[in-house]
Amino acid sequence: MSSLAPTPHTPHPTPLPLIALDPTPYSLLPTPYLTPWLIGVTLNTILAAIAFFAPKKLLTPAGLLHAWFLGVLVWGTLGWQGYVVVMVYFLVGSAVTRVGMAQKEAEGIAEKRSGARGPENVWGSALTGALCAIAAFIVPWLNLGSSGQWLVSLLVLGYVASFSTKLADTCASEIGKAYGQRTFLITNLQPVPRGTEGAVSLEGTLAGIVASIALALVGWAVGLISLWMVAVCAVAAFVATNLESVIGATLQSRFNWLTNEVVNIVNTLIGAIVAMAIAQGVYLVLG
């Protein structure tokens, strides 16, 4: 049996080779398993209060409410490990958005509200990850045996890959707009101004690769994925981010409903699917 194979299903399963997270305790019932949800509510309420009164706003009031709900959801389903991943994404992504803000605002290519996230930004970035987290929470209760444990492993990988992809996209875009010396349209490699939909730059691309690896390493450090999956996340993020640029260059201007937030959802969904597909392929080959 390959080392990639999931372990037999037990009420308290041993950690999988792919992840160290035990999803079983994060249940709404019985009462002792309610603890992670109570911790999530308490912690996120405290952080939301701090953020609300902080002089520099990273979220709009509505965005703060939605981020509170997301934080509770992540802590309740994936525990502190999943929470660390989303918090690192949010803090690094917010910081990168403000890089060169004065210059980007002068050129008219800065994010609206000086980078403060609203509800649309929260879910544009996190909807895919949230769905992966919910699914990973539900699957152990379906009594699917070892297949269920492997599915949880893939879903948790999809969770990490979705945020790795989104941070790669954010860093590629913001660093490219701030420091890109030459930007090209991804479809024909013709020079275009910085901030053009579908534009790519060497500086932005490198920043995106580094960001995707960094966030995937966070996922590995907290035990959500194994070390070899860091490379899987990086590849998935690179594929998804470039496909998003193609969408931006070819389709986004044609359809009013294809907003940046919708494109972000597509981007993270592609990243999660590609990562899970690669992992499943490796399992089939080596298993």
Side-chain angles (χ1 to χ4, degrees), residues 254-278:
R254 300 182 185 180
F255 303 99
N256 292 332
W257 58 267
L258 201 57
T259 63
N260 286 337
E261 290 70 38
V262 173
V263 173
N264 285 336
I265 294 173
V266 173
N267 177 37
T268 55
L269 184 61
I270 293 173
I273 291 174
V274 170
M276 291 189 290
I278 293 174

Side-chain angles (χ1 to χ4, degrees), residues 16-178:
L16 296 178
L18 185 59
I19 59 172
L21 175 67
D22 175 6
T24 305
Y26 303 116
S27 165
L28 288 174
L29 295 172
T31 301
Y33 294 154
L34 189 62
T35 301
W37 295 92
L38 294 177
I39 293 174
V41 169
T42 303
L43 176 63
N44 282 279
T45 299
I46 293 171
L47 292 179
I50 294 172
F52 183 80
F53 291 106
K56 181 161 292 201
K57 306 299 183 184
L58 300 180
L59 291 153
T60 67
L64 190 59
L65 178 61
H66 285 253
W68 177 90
F69 179 80
L70 173 66
V72 173
L73 173 66
V74 170
W75 193 290
T77 54
L78 295 181
W80 67 267
Q81 299 101 320
Y83 194 80
V84 167
V85 170
V86 71
M87 282 299 290
V88 170
Y89 158 73
F90 171 69
L91 294 175
V92 175
S94 296
V96 170
T97 299
R98 284 171 162 73
V99 170
M101 179 61 74
Q103 172 188 329
K104 289 185 285 191
E105 286 181 336
E107 296 178 5
I109 57 175
E111 291 292 318
K112 59 185 179 180
R113 301 185 296 255
S114 296
R117 266 61 172 176
E120 72 281 7
N121 304 116
V122 171
W123 297 112
S125 301
L127 180 60
T128 298
L131 292 175
C132 288
I134 292 171
F137 170 74
I138 293 174
V139 166
W141 299 95
L142 301 180
N143 296 320
L144 300 178
S146 59
S147 297
Q149 289 202 358
W150 177 246
L151 181 55
V152 169
S153 299
L154 290 179
L155 290 167
V156 173
L157 170 62
Y159 174 84
V160 175
S162 71
F163 286 109
S164 180
T165 296
K166 189 62 190 75
L167 188 61
D169 172 57
T170 299
C171 289
S173 175
E174 298 301 330
I175 296 302
K177 288 190 288 187

